[in-house]
Amino acid sequence: TGSSPRSVSVNTSNNTCWVANSGTGAANGNRVRQINADNTAVLYNVTGFSTPYSVSVNHNEIINGKETVWVADTGGNRVRKIYWTGSSWTYYTFTGFLSPQYVTVNPSTNECWVALDPTDTVNDRILRLNPEGDIEFDIGGLTSPLGISIRP
């Protein structure tokens, strides 16, 4: 699915897989891909990322007939929520982060949790974003959070 896949997230409602690929090269790099269950077809290539590091699909939030997908775009210092317009994928972009590393979405609430890059001493923390991207909760005082998982 790409030269440097970093993260995968499975949509259990349609058995597709989203892959964050932060590799280089015009054919494979810096994109998020949706592939079918048996990895025989790339359904969508979504570009416009600097270094997508983590991806989380929300099969419960449907816009124009398709799921929403949250992406930690580490190299772009942003989190992006991608959604279907009816003819193409587009973005909500949330900035003000320094190298967000990991995202996971709670499909029960449509909130996204973000683990921030521990190399910035201010960002040893985890944030909870509402569906509009506003920070609702901030957990600080952590030491190098390397991932995040939630229980819906």
Side-chain angles (χ1 to χ4, degrees):
T1 62
S3 59
S4 294
R6 299 284 183 188
S7 169
V8 297
S9 182
V10 176
N11 183 340
T12 57
S13 68
N14 65 11
N15 293 322
T16 60
C17 180
W18 285 87
V19 180
N21 181 34
S22 60
T24 59
N28 295 316
N30 292 327
R31 64 190 65 227
V32 176
R33 291 181 162 176
Q34 184 188 35
I35 58 174
N36 65 355
D38 59 1
N39 194 27
T40 58
V42 174
L43 304 175
Y44 295 103
N45 271 313
V46 185
T47 59
F49 300 97
S50 179
T51 310
Y53 202 83
S54 176
V55 62
S56 185
V57 63
N58 185 357
H59 58 83
N60 282 341
E61 184 180 31
I62 304 299
I63 298 177
N64 296 315
K66 299 207 182 286
E67 68 271 26
T68 59
V69 181
W70 290 78
V71 180
D73 191 9
T74 303
N77 294 316
R78 61 191 173 192
V79 172
R80 288 190 133 175
K81 179 181 177 180
I82 59 175
Y83 65 96
W84 185 249
T85 65
S87 60
S88 65
W89 293 94
T90 193
Y91 320 91
Y92 293 119
T93 300
F94 312 110
T95 59
F97 305 104
L98 180 60
S99 300
Q101 295 287 304
Y102 302 98
V103 292
T104 191
V105 67
N106 183 340
S108 299
T109 63
N110 300 328
E111 297 165 328
C112 181
W113 291 80
V114 181
L116 298 175
D117 183 359
T119 60
D120 176 15
T121 56
V122 176
N123 282 331
D124 276 345
R125 60 194 180 134
I126 293 174
L127 304 175
R128 183 180 71 200
L129 308 179
N130 67 19
E132 293 75 36
D134 300 317
I135 297 172
E136 290 187 328
F137 195 68
D138 186 335
I139 303 170
L142 303 173
T143 302
S144 301
L146 295 177
I148 189 164
S149 179
I150 55 99
R151 179 179 169 206

